[in-house]
Amino acid sequence: MPTRMIREGLLDSKKFNKLTEEEQMFFVRLMLVVDDYGRYDARPELIKSRCYPVTTNKDLSDVSKMLSSLDKSQMITLYTVNSKEYLEIIDYNQRLRQKKEKYPSPARADVSIVRADVSIVRPEEKRSRREVELEVELEENLICVPFETFWNLYDKKVNPKLCRKMWKSLSDSEREAIIKIIPDYKKANPDKKYRKDPERYLKKRSWEDEIIKNYNETKNQYTPADMLADSQRPWLKKVFTDE
């Protein structure tokens, strides 16, 4: 095992002195088992076996509580990578002998995963998963027309994740205008395969385009008005002129 340096400055640290004596001793033991980067596997079972190899009066719950306390005191950082738990001692400042990292850094941390006794999250994000879910739920409740209303009414379910993001970026008045125009747009394009994908519809602001109806909706016949309108189109003008 490599030699570790415990500097006397640790004794003057405010964060260190706020810990209980048991937590202070636990922190020193951690310093002896982590790698050169100050990182180690954060599973309480493994830490207990390494930090207290011959001590039998330490329970897993004790180790978990001390890990949580060190994390709250900002002596260590608890995080997960690919759903595996790790820790890193903050400002470890030891001589690096390892050329390759044995444990991943907190920069690669997953979204927060909360265990019953220890909260393991990204260093910059100290919120529980439930708090994040409630925040998203609150944001969606503030929208006058929920995304699901548009999604079910438009009825061409392609790329929902991106469409939801685009829907959130719209104003309330824009959402209301879209919901109002969709029934007419669907009448003009009853076959959904000829409708624009919802992503393109929102991106191109197609609800602002004129809806052109070429056929009589009730009789489904080509009317004189439709014929007159078509005669003005360049690609049909020659046909009508020749006749």
Side-chain angles (χ1 to χ4, degrees):
M1 180 179 290
T3 303
R4 298 301 183 202
M5 295 181 62
I6 302 178
R7 296 174 176 82
E8 62 178 341
L10 182 65
L11 300 176
D12 300 322
S13 168
K14 291 182 179 180
K15 292 189 293 185
F16 182 75
N17 283 292
K18 285 182 180 180
L19 302 174
T20 64
E21 290 186 5
E22 184 182 28
E23 291 167 348
Q24 290 177 357
M25 183 54 67
F26 175 64
F27 179 72
V28 172
R29 287 174 181 259
L30 270 182
M31 293 182 69
L32 299 177
V33 300
V34 296
D35 68 1
D36 288 350
Y37 294 88
R39 300 171 194 152
Y40 195 62
D41 191 308
R43 288 176 292 177
E45 301 86 351
L46 186 59
I47 292 176
K48 179 179 180 296
S49 65
R50 289 299 309 277
C51 290
Y52 302 98
V54 295
T55 303
T56 59
N57 62 347
K58 292 294 180 187
D59 296 327
L60 289 179
S61 60
D62 296 328
V63 174
S64 295
K65 288 177 183 177
M66 289 189 289
L67 281 172
S68 181
S69 179
L70 292 180
D71 181 47
K72 290 177 182 177
S73 301
Q74 297 183 339
M75 298 295 293
I76 65 172
T77 293
L78 292 170
Y79 59 100
T80 67
V81 175
N82 296 329
S83 300
K84 295 182 180 180
E85 302 168 5
Y86 300 97
L87 66 85
E88 181 182 80
I89 294 179
I90 299 174
D91 298 328
Y92 190 47
N93 297 328
Q94 296 287 331
R95 180 182 175 184
L96 292 178
R97 296 174 178 82
Q98 297 174 223
K99 294 183 179 180
K100 187 177 181 180
E101 297 180 355
K102 184 176 180 181
Y103 303 101
S105 73
R108 294 167 53 192
D110 301 331
V111 176
S112 113
I113 294 180
V114 181
R115 202 170 60 220
D117 47 2
V118 177
S119 205
I120 300 182
V121 299
R122 286 185 178 183
E124 70 276 12
E125 186 178 11
K126 295 292 183 181
R127 297 181 301 165
S128 70
R129 178 176 295 177
R130 181 57 184 157
E131 287 175 323
V132 175
E133 290 174 351
L134 287 172
E135 183 176 329
V136 173
E137 201 174 303
L138 178 61
E139 285 181 2
E140 296 199 344
N141 287 338
L142 293 175
I143 295 176
C144 67
V145 182
F147 172 73
E148 285 70 22
T149 302
F150 161 75
W151 193 243
N152 294 326
L153 183 61
Y154 195 83
D155 195 26
K156 188 174 182 181
K157 296 175 170 56
V158 180
N159 204 346
K161 187 174 181 181
L162 180 57
C163 290
R164 182 183 292 273
K165 184 176 181 181
M166 295 174 71
W167 186 256
K168 287 180 65 176
S169 68
L170 297 171
S171 67
D172 285 343
S173 59
E174 288 171 331
R175 297 188 195 102
E176 290 173 349
I178 292 170
I179 296 301
K180 185 177 179 181
I181 204 69
I182 283 178
D184 290 335
Y185 177 70
K186 288 173 67 176
K187 284 182 181 179
N189 301 274
D191 192 336
K192 68 171 68 177
K193 70 181 179 182
Y194 294 116
R195 293 177 210 156
K196 297 177 182 176
D197 286 350
E199 171 195 347
R200 184 165 175 247
Y201 184 86
L202 295 175
K203 184 177 181 180
K204 298 293 185 180
R205 300 182 65 86
S206 298
W207 68 89
E208 297 177 339
D209 297 340
E210 179 184 1
I211 297 176
I212 300 175
K213 303 174 184 177
N214 291 330
Y215 291 89
N216 184 288
E217 291 180 359
T218 57
K219 298 180 180 179
N220 197 29
Q221 295 177 348
Y222 201 53
T223 65
D226 296 326
M227 185 178 294
L228 178 62
D230 282 346
S231 70
Q232 305 303 315
R233 299 180 183 180
W235 64 280
L236 283 176
K237 193 170 184 179
K238 188 176 184 304
V239 176
F240 284 95
T241 303
D242 291 345
E243 291 181 353

